[in-house]
Amino acid sequence: MYQEPDYLLLSGLQHLCFCPRQCAFIHVEQLWSENYFTASGRILHEKVHGGIGESRRCIRTERDLKIASRRLGVTGKTDAVEFYSDGTVIPIEYKHGKPKEDFSDEVQLCAQAMCLEEMLGVQIDQGALFYFKVRKRIPVDMSPELRQETIRVAEEFHGLIQEGKTPAAQYTKKCNSCSFIDVCFPESAGRNKSVEIYLKRRLVNSAALDEEDF
């Protein structure tokens, strides 16, 4: 159990799953860099958080709820939470783009569910991820495996912050969509790297991303 002064931002769990170096840039070095993807995501989230609660039939939807968990040592705000008349609670996280190959979004959603469980004294069996690019709501089961992974990531996140060091760069395909790519230079990491090859690849990747998104 963590004490309130030690709470970290819940969004950092998603950042850590996506890339430990990106997570350290944001939460250790207190840096921020924006590109088309982060700007679009920010605007969409502002619209979601700016909405008011609403009721329809047997469902009450609340937005922008402040949540926290002593077990995970995190705090943050929800995008939306559905409260059903039978006691069912379903957190919903909105994402720009489409489903990812990793489980970073699922971990972030599970952390929200675990926060709500602690605060409300309820059991949450399922949440949902809504991706704007595909306009699709995807249910996510709060399985024991996902919960354990969320706890592990939270512990790793606290360890990263306590250590206070930014991990070395490691290039992967998902680096191409990261807003920190011009700060991180992941493709230049390691030995025998060519600046010319790095720049050429950046141009190719930028063109490919533009075609994919538009």
Side-chain angles (χ1 to χ4, degrees):
M1 294 292 181
Y2 296 89
Q3 299 302 312
E4 190 170 346
D6 299 321
Y7 286 179
L8 303 175
L9 289 177
L10 189 152
S11 59
L13 303 182
Q14 196 271 348
H15 297 147
L16 181 61
C17 291
F18 180 80
C19 172
R21 184 170 170 84
Q22 183 205 66
C23 182
F25 279 146
I26 298 172
H27 300 278
V28 175
E29 300 188 30
Q30 301 294 304
L31 300 177
W32 181 250
S33 180
E34 192 154 85
N35 61 8
Y36 167 78
F37 301 102
T38 58
S40 298
R42 174 175 53 78
I43 292 171
L44 291 171
H45 271 87
E46 287 174 354
K47 291 181 179 179
V48 172
H49 285 269
I52 60 175
E54 58 181 358
S55 296
R56 52 185 178 85
R57 296 184 180 180
C58 61
I59 307 173
R60 173 69 181 175
T61 302
E62 295 289 352
R63 305 181 189 279
D64 209 25
L65 297 178
K66 187 174 182 179
I67 55 176
S69 167
R70 291 188 62 195
R71 183 177 186 184
L72 300 177
V74 297
T75 185
K77 291 185 177 181
T78 64
D79 282 347
V81 182
E82 293 179 344
F83 295 89
Y84 290 73
S85 58
D86 64 358
T88 300
V89 178
I90 298 181
I92 305 169
E93 176 69 14
Y94 290 80
K95 293 294 183 182
H96 169 71
K98 57 186 179 181
K100 300 178 178 65
E101 295 181 0
D102 59 34
F103 289 95
S104 56
D105 293 343
E106 285 81 358
V107 165
Q108 183 180 8
L109 181 66
C110 184
Q112 293 179 13
M114 293 176 71
C115 288
L116 290 166
E117 287 179 332
E118 281 189 39
M119 298 175 69
L120 303 176
V122 298
Q123 174 71 31
I124 298 177
D125 298 319
Q126 191 176 87
L129 293 166
F130 184 90
Y131 290 93
F132 282 97
K133 186 169 184 178
V134 295
R135 306 296 300 180
K136 186 176 181 181
R137 174 168 165 164
I138 300 175
V140 177
D141 291 330
M142 299 295 118
S143 66
E145 293 78 14
L146 180 56
R147 290 172 182 272
Q148 191 58 44
E149 176 65 6
T150 301
I151 294 170
R152 185 197 67 77
V153 173
E155 292 174 350
E156 184 179 344
F157 185 29
H158 280 273
L160 178 71
I161 299 303
Q162 290 174 3
E163 186 177 13
K165 295 181 180 179
T166 299
Q170 293 185 357
Y171 176 75
T172 64
K173 182 180 178 181
K174 60 187 177 183
C175 292
N176 300 325
S177 62
C178 179
S179 62
F180 283 98
I181 192 166
D182 291 326
V183 177
C184 179
F185 296 109
E187 291 177 288
S188 65
R191 298 179 179 178
N192 302 319
K193 296 292 184 178
S194 165
V195 174
E196 181 180 0
I197 293 176
Y198 166 76
L199 292 174
K200 287 181 178 179
R201 185 176 296 176
R202 282 296 313 281
L203 290 172
V204 171
N205 288 336
S206 295
L209 285 171
D210 289 341
E211 291 178 0
E212 179 181 345
D213 202 70
F214 297 100

